[in-house]
Amino acid sequence: MSSVRDWRVTIVPWADRRLWFIQARRGRRVVWGVVYDAGDPDSVALARRAIATLRAAGADCSALPAVLPGASPGA
């Protein structure tokens, strides 16, 4: 089993750019993922918590943008 420290986290568009996929990869394999709805403040909040948890666990989140793609400023 791999360590979370071996995971590289990225965000890619899913469907119509309202939905986004946060994925953690080890090499070419996706080992964890979650889709969030950029137009839903609760979904965006859960995505931010998921990223914070991954960072705290030591996953490589260096490729993530400072602001979640598609999320409105108030979300």
Side-chain angles (χ1 to χ4, degrees), residues 41-59:
D42 291 333
S43 183
V44 170
L46 287 171
R48 287 185 177 130
R49 279 187 240 152
I51 290 169
T53 300
L54 288 166
R55 276 194 176 112

Side-chain angles (χ1 to χ4, degrees), residues 16-30:
D16 62 2
R17 292 200 178 266
R18 179 176 169 160
L19 299 179
W20 293 80
F21 183 55
I22 301 169
Q23 62 183 359
R25 292 180 167 267
R26 186 184 74 187
R28 293 173 53 192
R29 182 176 176 185
V30 175

Side-chain angles (χ1 to χ4, degrees), residues 3-73:
S3 166
V4 172
R5 295 182 190 281
D6 297 332
W7 295 3
R8 185 164 194 277
V9 182
T10 59
I11 299 176
V12 295
W14 189 276
D16 62 2
R17 292 200 178 266
R18 179 176 169 160
L19 299 179
W20 293 80
F21 183 55
I22 301 169
Q23 62 183 359
R25 292 180 167 267
R26 186 184 74 187
R28 293 173 53 192
R29 182 176 176 185
V30 175
V31 292
W32 180 89
V34 66
V35 174
Y36 73 92
D37 179 344
D40 177 14
D42 291 333
S43 183
V44 170
L46 287 171
R48 287 185 177 130
R49 279 187 240 152
I51 290 169
T53 300
L54 288 166
R55 276 194 176 112
D60 176 6
C61 295
S62 62
L64 295 179
V67 177
L68 287 176
S72 61

